[in-house]
Amino acid sequence: MQYSPPPLFKQGASARAKVVFFAILAIFLLVVDSRLNTLIFARQMLGTVLYPIQMLAVVPRDAATKLSAYLTSTSVLEKENVQLKRQQISNAEALQQNGQLSAENMHLRKMLDAREKLTVKSVLGEIIYDARDSTTRKIILDRGSQNGVALSQPVIDDLGVVGQVTRVFPLTSEVTLLTDKNQAIPVEILRNGLRSVVYGRGQSGYLDMRMTSNADVHNGDVLVTSGIDGVYPAGLAVARVVKVENKATTQFENILCTPSAGIDRNKQLLILLVSSNNLPRPDTEDIRVKKEKLNRKVTRDAAREAPPDTQSMMPQKSVDTVIPAPLVTPAKDSSKNSGKDNGKEVVKEIAK
């Protein structure tokens, strides 16, 4: 005989129906957030509301850190003081030579009529805590959109690139470190200008770079940002090559690199307040080839238009020589007209 439970113990819908309902609701919210971006404001509001709770959660950790620092023995402090004094003495000579090198650098820049590098605005941020996801390499800084922080802005320390901003809240921001497995950055070898892309390896703390087996890469090569992605300014230190593996079964070399920046040794970081729309982008390979062809064509036309006496005195250029602009100015009216026609052809080729 079956008995039905009393009305007091009835629990409504079954557990299976609840699971199906909430699963459909979760999928719907994911689709709406990814397609329409309607939950960005709600996420920012939630991050603002949870900010005091986050700061309250790190109070015990900060208190324990301060207590351990206060209880540090006097002998350890004395050893650190002696070590710092020795380091200061050893760096005194380099600091004195730095002034002379800076003066020589300024003088050479004026002689070569080079432009000074533009100073980039930055904001100092302090790390609050690491991200909760153990499979990623992310940190949270105490600077957000209220301080001018925006998406994709580079984050550096005194040695090189640390990562980039991947999520921004009004009071905080999330930074994905360079060693994250989903992070990639275009680089070039400082020694020879060879360009490639560096990828993170996750928790190992190293970086990977793949190049062809005949590439000119050696241990100790310094990698800097190439600026080709329009996100990172060119010339920032990224990593140093520590190992080059060449396997016979593949045409590529597995290159292991160590980050130049102190990924796990910093408390304060600099966020570069740059806009990716204002960073210069280098010419692509197709544009460079077109420019070379146009330079050769203009040079040949200028040589044909020059008088015979001038042609005999002009130095002979090989076919592969690239000359920035024609150096011979025609003297006759017909030559001027042909020069204009050549200019129009150059403009049409560039437009193509």
Side-chain angles (χ1 to χ4, degrees), residues 1 15 23 92 132 162 188-189 203 209 225 255 261 266 288 333:
M1 182 179 293
R132 293 174 293 275
V162 175
E188 67 177 16
I189 300 176
Q203 296 297 330
M209 182 174 68
T225 53
I255 303 171
N266 293 305
R288 286 197 296 269
D333 296 338

Side-chain angles (χ1 to χ4, degrees), residues 115-233:
R115 294 182 179 180
E116 294 290 338
K117 291 184 178 180
L118 298 176
T119 56
V120 179
K121 292 184 179 180
S122 61
V123 60
L124 181 65
E126 186 173 355
I127 300 175
I128 302 177
Y129 57 87
D130 293 339
R132 293 174 293 275
D133 191 355
S134 60
T135 61
T136 60
R137 300 279 291 167
K138 297 180 180 181
I139 55 176
I140 307 299
L141 299 181
D142 61 347
R143 293 291 183 268
S145 58
Q146 299 295 330
N147 307 104
V149 180
L151 289 176
S152 301
Q153 288 181 341
V155 180
I156 64 173
D157 63 358
D158 58 336
L159 298 177
V161 178
V162 175
Q164 71 177 116
V165 178
T166 53
R167 184 174 292 181
V168 180
F169 299 99
L171 301 177
T172 60
S173 58
E174 181 186 81
V175 176
T176 301
L177 299 180
L178 196 64
T179 54
D180 187 87
K181 61 182 180 180
N182 295 323
Q183 189 75 351
I185 175 172
V187 297
E188 67 177 16
I189 300 176
L190 188 61
R191 177 174 54 86
N192 53 18
L194 193 62
R195 290 187 298 196
S196 182
V197 179
V198 168
Y199 303 91
R201 298 187 64 179
Q203 296 297 330
S204 66
Y206 289 95
L207 304 173
D208 277 334
M209 182 174 68
R210 298 194 65 187
M211 302 190 72
T212 56
S213 57
N214 58 351
D216 184 14
V217 184
H218 304 290
N219 291 340
D221 282 344
V222 178
L223 307 180
V224 297
T225 53
S226 62
I228 196 172
D229 58 343
V231 176
Y232 294 92

Side-chain angles (χ1 to χ4, degrees), residues 7 32 40-41 53 70 72-73 77 86 115 222 228-229 269 271 280 289 301 307 310 313 331 346:
V32 170
I40 295 178
F41 180 75
I53 301 176
Y70 177 77
T72 303
S73 62
L77 294 177
R86 291 177 179 176
R115 294 182 179 180
V222 178
I228 196 172
D229 58 343
L269 299 173
I271 305 174
V289 171
D301 294 342
T310 307
M313 297 175 60
V346 172

Side-chain angles (χ1 to χ4, degrees), residues 58-88:
V58 299
V59 167
R61 184 204 63 183
D62 295 338
T65 303
K66 292 180 180 179
L67 181 61
S68 62
Y70 177 77
L71 297 177
T72 303
S73 62
T74 306
S75 60
V76 174
L77 294 177
E78 289 177 354
K79 290 180 180 179
E80 291 181 354
N81 192 14
V82 172
Q83 184 179 2
L84 290 175
K85 287 183 178 179
R86 291 177 179 176
Q87 185 178 0
Q88 182 181 4

